[in-house]
Amino acid sequence: MIRSQWRSMMIALLLLASLPLLATCGGQGSTLGASLYVQNVTANPAAYAGKEITVDGAYLWRPGTPTISVLALGLHTLDSGLDAQPLGDPIWLEGFPSDVTSNMHRPGDSVYGFVRVRGQFATGNFGPDGSYPYQITVSSAEVIEQVRRVEQKIKDTPLGEGKVAFFELQRNPDAYNGQTITTQGYYFWNSLIYVLAEGISTEEDGSSPQPVGSSIWMEGFPPDVSPNLNVGANNSYVWGLVEVTGTFQTGGGFGRDGAYQSLFTVTSATALK
């Protein structure tokens, strides 16, 4: 069992550690090209209005209504990494390049990481509901905190007599619709997602697990099996290789937002590792 230590305040601490150095050059950032700190800018917005500046901070993007795309002095999350919230007075980011987010934290409901952003700063009313008093129209951005991930996946091989391989279910779902079957895959749960997946991706320290590849929505996974798998701090997530028996259904409209093509209702499960 792995109990991952989520760094819910780590980005904030990294930024706070750099404050004394950044404060000494806070008045020079827009002319000399030195990076500013988010708090330098929000504490004296008039000094930077209309200027091209470079700012270090914690980037957070979260889809939804309204969406969030901001630069903050730090972030707070749940132990699972979900529900990331900006700290302090965030700056709305307009036009943040999506390709920069590939090496950031991705807990499932948002994307975030420590970045350096360059762009034109403005004051007013910004964001979807006009609730943000500051904005940077981004001209360039780079990740300062590189997040590397490790993947574990099942192989596309037969499981033996009386069992149906995960990939066979994906290739020929209609052939097994409504049947009770036994299969194997990676179980993943984080209070938002309940799936049997082709694989799991984690950060190098084992944190921020996410299902990868194709997946099937799962219901009825027995709680007493979970302690034999990888369990996050405060039971924030569970994942591991399992063998499950249950009823398979297909046809779409399953799971969160009806986004899953198939559903597996579990009657029994065994942890494989």
Side-chain angles (χ1 to χ4, degrees), residues 6 51 90 95 102 112 131 203 206 209 216 223 228 258 260:
W6 252 96
K51 295 181 179 180
S102 59
Y112 53 84
S131 62
E203 295 183 17
I216 301 169
N228 300 321
Y260 291 80

Side-chain angles (χ1 to χ4, degrees), residues 80 150 163 230 238 253 265 267:
S80 62
V150 178
K163 301 177 183 180
N230 304 288
V238 178
T265 304
T267 55

Side-chain angles (χ1 to χ4, degrees), residues 228-245:
N228 300 321
L229 301 173
N230 304 288
V231 181
N234 297 320
N235 297 313
S236 53
Y237 60 74
V238 178
W239 69 270
L241 185 62
V242 298
E243 181 170 287
V244 289
T245 298

